[in-house]
């Protein structure tokens, strides 16, 4: 399995090099769900190293990590101090902390193997928390444009995002599937048992507006989000 950049679809890392998922908050209050990879051939470290005590992993120096192809910020590279001082030589190691929202699992039907979160997008991928790098992100549930640095729960595979407010509602008040009105269900059942196929079809058609009414608003905001691109 290959993880690719959600911006350009370039290969970034392999599933076999993933070792853990963790959540961290930087000094500015921005929280990220990251995947820890021992290798990430599609990422490259950029800029100077930071050894000022702000690291999430004591004893490790960090640098920015970007996509090797398009330059999108993917996360960070963490280097042990001994590896850094040796100029990248010897047995000392490094690893990559990649933001899950900025990755997409190539060819996967569900992002089910790499996280503990249970909240999922409409296509059953796990939603990962991250801080938005700019103000062009929109919550796909309430259609609200968020501010730079605001937290969202996102899916890189579907380009789907949910704000904290809508996430809380989804967790505490899950949506129920639409129910067929009792009168229509009984009528359809009796007509079907009677063998009148044409009348049964008519009953189903009359029930469609009631079934689609709670669903159509969701389709409407999904279409409206197509105008926005991270």
């Amino acid at each position: 399995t290959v993880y690719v950049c959600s911006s350009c679809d370039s290969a970034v890392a392999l599933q076999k090099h993933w070792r853990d998922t963790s959540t961290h908050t930087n000094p500015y209050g921005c929280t990220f769900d990251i995947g820890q990879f021992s290798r990430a051939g599609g990422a490259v470290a950029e800029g100077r190293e930071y050894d000022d005590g702000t690291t999430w992993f004591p004893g490790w120096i960090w640098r920015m990590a970007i996509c090797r192809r398009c330059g999108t910020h993917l996360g960070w590279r963490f280097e042990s101090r001994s590896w850094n001082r040796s100029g990248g030589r010897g047995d000392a190691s490094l690893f990559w902390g990649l933001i899950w929202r900025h990755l997409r699992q190539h060819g996967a039907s569900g992002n089910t193997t790499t996280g503990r979160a249970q909240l999922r997008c409409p296509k059953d991928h796990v939603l990962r928390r991250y801080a938005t790098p700019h103000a062009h992100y929109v919550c796909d549930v309430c259609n609200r444009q968020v501010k730079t640095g605001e937290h969202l729960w996102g899916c890189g595979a579907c380009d789907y995002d949910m704000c904290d407010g809508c996430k809380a509602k989804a967790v505490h008040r899950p949506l129920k599937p639409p129910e067929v009105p009792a009168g229509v269900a009984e009528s359809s059942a009796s007509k079907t048992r009677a063998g009148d196929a044409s009348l049964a079809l008519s009953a189903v058609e009359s029930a469609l507006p009631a079934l689609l009414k709670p669903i159509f608003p969701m389709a409407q905001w999904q279409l409206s989000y197509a105008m926005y691109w991270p």
Side-chain angles (χ1 to χ4, degrees):
T1 300
V2 179
Y3 289 99
V4 301
C5 172
S6 62
S7 295
C8 70
D9 284 336
S10 179
V12 175
L14 299 177
Q15 168 70 35
K16 66 180 181 180
H17 294 145
W18 168 79
R19 68 185 196 186
D20 197 8
T21 291
S22 53
T23 302
H24 305 277
T25 303
N26 67 19
Y28 300 98
C30 299
T31 301
F32 299 90
D33 286 345
I34 66 171
Q36 299 174 29
F37 291 83
S38 58
R39 297 182 184 179
V44 60
E46 181 186 55
R48 72 176 184 88
E49 70 272 11
Y50 290 84
D51 190 14
D52 54 3
T54 60
T55 181
W56 292 328
F57 302 94
W60 296 81
I61 299 168
W62 62 272
R63 302 173 187 257
M64 299 291 288
I66 63 175
C67 174
R68 188 179 294 274
R69 180 181 178 185
C70 70
T72 295
H73 175 228
L74 296 178
W76 304 268
R77 188 175 81 173
F78 294 90
E79 310 164 0
S80 66
R81 288 194 177 93
S82 58
W83 186 92
N84 180 271
R85 291 168 182 169
S86 69
R89 299 185 299 273
D91 297 330
S93 61
L94 61 83
F95 70 93
W96 303 79
L98 305 180
I99 303 169
W100 281 120
R101 174 58 178 86
H102 296 176
L103 301 177
R104 175 164 49 246
Q105 193 171 358
H106 182 68
S109 59
N111 206 3
T112 59
T113 61
T114 58
R116 298 180 291 274
Q118 296 301 313
L119 193 64
R120 298 176 183 270
C121 74
K123 292 187 178 180
D124 203 35
H125 302 105
V126 175
L127 295 183
R128 307 287 187 178
R129 195 182 191 196
Y130 71 104
T132 56
H134 49 71
H136 294 165
Y137 285 77
V138 174
C139 173
D140 283 309
V141 179
C142 64
N143 204 31
R144 178 177 64 86
Q145 186 168 354
V146 302
K147 300 177 181 179
T148 301
E150 186 171 345
H151 290 113
L152 290 177
W153 296 81
C155 169
C158 302
D159 200 25
Y160 176 91
D161 298 287
M162 180 185 296
C163 68
D164 276 338
C166 292
K167 183 253 184 182
K169 294 177 183 178
V171 170
H172 298 295
R173 294 194 298 274
L175 295 176
K176 295 182 179 180
E179 299 179 356
V180 179
V184 173
E186 293 173 1
S187 176
S188 297
S190 62
K191 291 173 183 177
T192 301
R193 286 194 299 268
D196 193 339
S198 61
L199 290 178
L201 179 60
S202 176
V204 172
E205 290 175 346
S206 65
L208 282 177
L211 293 173
L212 292 177
K213 185 176 180 180
I215 298 175
F216 182 75
M218 183 178 294
Q220 190 173 27
W221 57 250
Q222 286 178 326
L223 290 173
S224 66
Y225 182 67
M227 297 183 296
Y228 298 89
W229 197 256

